[in-house]
């Protein structure tokens, strides 16, 4: 079922939710997603998909591309260029399931696949993914390497970019739990960016098109998670992938998947990422009215007013303070652990949190005692 709002054609939300609840890709879940886990899923895709090995990582792991569709509009999506940012990868495999099992959504599927050719790189940094790091095995941040091209994975992405010549790119990332949005400082579950092409942040024709697509995703996503969708600063990063691809004429939409209440495995966040991606692609495929780029600037900014745990009103050095805790993610004995770490000792009344602890009887005389207590209490 299709409904209209803001002159945009969109899929009715409950319809999409229903499809998602019984059809998402169940074989991949959690935060730590490695190449090993996704190879069988790639190999099981049906013959509508074209599977290729497009290069190797520094440690000689295969980098795959998965293509579908036969349309003129070219879309390139890559995930896990930061190895520990896996939510986009999970959402991508949900999208593959939609293309394989569209059921009641087949009319949309046909429209997308007739209008677009979608090329996906489901894990650009398999070495980083293996050891749950942002960087590649050469300790290079692939999202800051587009000029220097020191990483082999950067060449692989550049190669597929040159070959596909995409009209639109989706650059999929995960953001930390600390990001908030809106007046109530809700967690930024999804954030967007239309990257700048230059230091003056000019609104070029290409950037406008990127903004249109983001607006379409924002309008759609607002129905699911109002006040949990943010916008990143468009400060120009001369070495960032998105900024340079946009400058080269490939409209690049940055999606940052973030925290949803108590969802440390990022499975809810994955669902919302899927909806955003789906709506973005559908909007591009249906060549709809693109006249409202200015609404982009009404998307609230991302802020940093969210913490994993806040302990209110403890006594510390003869003062009342709050303790703000963030989890550091660490692989220990092949298991991903969330290590509680003291991030702030101050009045945190402007902050929101996943877990609020009220304990005005707590007394600490020094930071070491506080650290020990936190370690015992939350580990
Ligand atoms: Zn990232």
């Amino acid at each position: 079922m299709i409904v209209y709002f803001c002159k945009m054609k969109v899929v009715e939300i409950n319809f999409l939710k229903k499809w998602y609840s019984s059809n998402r890709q169940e074989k991949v879940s959690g935060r730590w997603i490695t190449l090993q886990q996704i190879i069988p899923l790639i190999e099981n895709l049906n013959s509508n998909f074209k599977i290729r090995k497009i290069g190797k990582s520094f440690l000689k792991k295969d980098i795959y591309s998965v293509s579908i569709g036969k349309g003129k509009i070219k879309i390139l999506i890559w995930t896990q260029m930061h190895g520990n940012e896996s939510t986009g990868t999970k959402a991508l495999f949900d999208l593959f399931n939609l293309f394989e099992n569209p059921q009641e959504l087949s009319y949309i599927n046909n429209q997308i696949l007739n209008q677009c050719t979608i090329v996906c790189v489901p894990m650009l940094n398999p070495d980083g993914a293996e050891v749950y790091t942002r960087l590649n095995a050469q300790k290079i941040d692939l999202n800051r390497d587009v000029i220097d091209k020191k990483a082999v994975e950067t060449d692989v992405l550049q190669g597929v970019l040159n070959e596909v010549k995409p009209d639109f790119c989706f650059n999929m990332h995960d953001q930390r739990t600390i990001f908030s949005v809106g007046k109530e400082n809700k967690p930024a579950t999804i954030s967007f960016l239309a990257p700048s092409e230059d230091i003056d942040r000019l609104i070029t024709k290409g950037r406008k098109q990127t903004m249109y697509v983001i607006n379409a995703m924002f309008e759609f996503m607002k129905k699911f998670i109002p006040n949990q969708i943010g916008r990143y600063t468009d400060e120009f990063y001369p070495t960032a992938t998105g900024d340079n691809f946009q400058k080269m004429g490939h409209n690049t939409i940055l999606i940052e998947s973030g925290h949803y209440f108590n969802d440390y495995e990022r499975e809810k966040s994955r669902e919302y990422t899927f909806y955003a991606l789906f709506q973005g692609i559908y909007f591009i495929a249906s060549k709809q009215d693109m006249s409202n780029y200015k609404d982009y600037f009404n998307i609230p900014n991302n802020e940093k007013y969210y913490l994993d745990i806040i302990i209110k009103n403890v006594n510390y050095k003869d003062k009342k303070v709050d303790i703000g805790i963030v989890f550091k993610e660490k692989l220990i004995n092949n298991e991903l652990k969330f290590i509680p770490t003291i991030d702030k000792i101050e009045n945190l009344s402007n902050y929101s949190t996943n877990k609020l602890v009220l304990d005005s009887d707590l007394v600490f005389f020094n930071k070491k005692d506080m650290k020990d207590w936190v370690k015992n209490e939350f580990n």
Side-chain angles (χ1 to χ4, degrees):
M1 184 195 292
I2 288 187
V3 293
Y4 289 83
F5 63 82
C6 302
K7 288 192 255 167
M8 281 189 303
K9 233 176 4 169
V10 296
V11 177
E12 208 268 314
I13 284 168
N14 290 329
F15 209 65
L16 190 60
K17 266 190 160 169
K18 191 173 145 253
W19 179 90
Y20 191 84
S21 65
S22 43
N23 290 289
R24 69 178 214 159
Q25 176 53 269
E26 298 287 350
K27 289 184 181 144
V28 63
S29 64
R31 283 296 277 279
W32 184 27
I33 307 294
T34 64
L35 184 65
Q36 229 71 50
Q37 288 168 270
I38 64 166
I39 286 177
L41 304 183
I42 292 173
E43 284 173 350
N44 272 334
L45 290 168
N46 72 20
S47 58
N48 295 338
F49 293 88
K50 223 188 292 164
I51 315 296
R52 281 175 58 200
K53 291 178 184 173
I54 53 169
K56 289 200 184 283
S57 67
F58 186 73
L59 297 177
K60 305 284 179 244
K61 289 191 182 64
D62 288 318
I63 299 172
Y64 287 84
S65 79
V66 174
S67 313
I68 189 161
K70 51 179 194 271
K72 284 200 180 115
I73 306 170
K74 305 286 193 282
I75 298 176
L76 175 63
I77 308 171
W78 65 92
T79 69
Q80 268 177 288
M81 82 187 306
H82 292 146
N84 57 355
E85 299 178 8
S86 59
T87 307
T89 305
K90 295 187 290 182
L92 204 51
F93 281 97
D94 295 335
L95 192 68
F96 296 160
N97 266 14
L98 175 71
F99 293 141
E100 276 194 343
N101 310 290
Q103 298 154 0
E104 302 95 329
L105 292 166
S106 54
Y107 60 99
I108 288 179
N109 213 31
N110 293 339
Q111 185 174 359
I112 290 176
L113 299 181
N114 283 328
Q115 293 297 332
C116 305
T117 302
I118 305 172
V119 180
C120 308
V121 180
M123 187 179 283
L124 184 64
N125 178 6
D127 297 341
E130 180 80 28
V131 290
Y132 201 75
T133 59
R134 174 184 180 86
L135 309 178
N136 81 341
Q138 301 159 276
K139 304 263 183 281
I140 294 168
D141 183 338
L142 300 186
N143 203 24
R144 295 286 181 272
D145 188 46
V146 70
I147 305 290
D148 291 348
K149 295 192 175 60
K150 285 186 180 150
V152 288
E153 296 86 355
T154 302
D155 285 335
V156 176
L157 183 62
Q158 193 71 54
V160 74
L161 182 90
N162 294 344
E163 194 186 311
V164 176
K165 299 184 181 64
D167 301 289
F168 287 94
C169 302
F170 289 87
N171 180 8
M172 309 295 292
H173 289 260
D174 269 58
Q175 61 188 345
R176 294 173 60 198
T177 306
I178 55 170
F179 288 102
S180 61
V181 71
K183 289 197 183 76
E184 301 151 57
N185 293 322
K186 290 197 172 176
T189 304
I190 298 285
S191 298
F192 297 113
L193 172 66
S196 293
E197 296 176 25
D198 52 59
I199 198 151
D200 297 324
R201 311 178 193 190
L202 285 179
I203 314 289
T204 59
K205 189 176 165 221
R207 278 196 84 202
K208 280 184 194 170
Q209 291 170 350
T210 304
M211 288 171 184
Y212 297 136
V213 180
I214 290 176
N215 290 344
M217 292 191 284
F218 177 68
E219 286 300 326
F220 186 60
M221 297 305 294
K222 259 194 338 198
K223 307 261 169 181
F224 293 98
I225 39 172
N227 307 314
Q228 283 171 248
I229 311 159
R231 172 169 62 95
Y232 262 94
T233 164
D234 61 355
E235 184 188 337
F236 179 60
Y237 287 95
T239 60
T241 307
D243 303 47
N244 282 280
F245 282 13
Q246 180 71 52
K247 195 167 153 182
M248 291 161 73
H250 309 289
N251 298 331
T252 301
I253 296 139
L254 179 85
I255 302 184
E256 294 269 1
S257 308
H259 185 67
Y260 183 88
F261 307 105
N262 286 318
D263 177 32
Y264 284 96
E265 297 300 322
R266 299 232 163 146
E267 290 298 306
K268 281 306 279 182
S269 164
R270 160 212 191 144
E271 181 177 348
Y272 295 124
T273 304
F274 165 79
Y275 296 144
L277 198 52
F278 169 82
Q279 169 61 10
I281 293 171
Y282 181 50
F283 180 77
I284 292 168
S286 51
K287 300 177 184 165
Q288 295 170 34
D289 177 27
M290 286 200 168
S291 59
N292 67 336
Y293 81 91
K294 284 183 181 157
D295 289 357
Y296 175 78
F297 296 99
N298 295 330
I299 302 173
N301 282 316
N302 258 25
E303 306 282 354
K304 285 184 188 168
Y305 286 109
Y306 202 84
L307 293 160
D308 289 303
I309 304 171
I310 293 178
I311 306 151
K312 288 294 283 180
N313 276 329
V314 304
N315 304 284
Y316 178 58
K317 294 180 178 169
D318 296 328
K319 274 199 299 191
K320 283 279 184 191
V321 294
D322 308 325
I323 307 174
I325 293 173
V326 298
F327 291 142
K328 295 244 153 72
E329 294 147 34
K330 218 173 167 187
L331 277 189
I332 299 173
N333 298 328
N334 269 333
E335 214 182 307
L336 183 63
K337 298 276 190 195
F338 294 87
I339 315 284
T341 313
I342 297 171
D343 187 62
K344 295 183 192 315
I345 306 170
E346 57 192 67
N347 179 343
L348 296 173
S349 45
N350 288 334
Y351 286 73
S352 291
T353 182
N354 205 57
K355 180 177 175 146
L356 186 66
V357 180
L358 295 166
D359 196 342
S360 52
D361 292 337
L362 278 172
V363 181
F364 300 108
F365 295 103
N366 56 57
K367 199 166 170 190
K368 189 186 173 297
D369 290 352
M370 192 187 276
K371 273 187 180 168
D372 290 344
W373 181 84
V374 164
K375 203 173 153 193
N376 287 328
E377 190 73 13
F378 299 109
N379 257 337

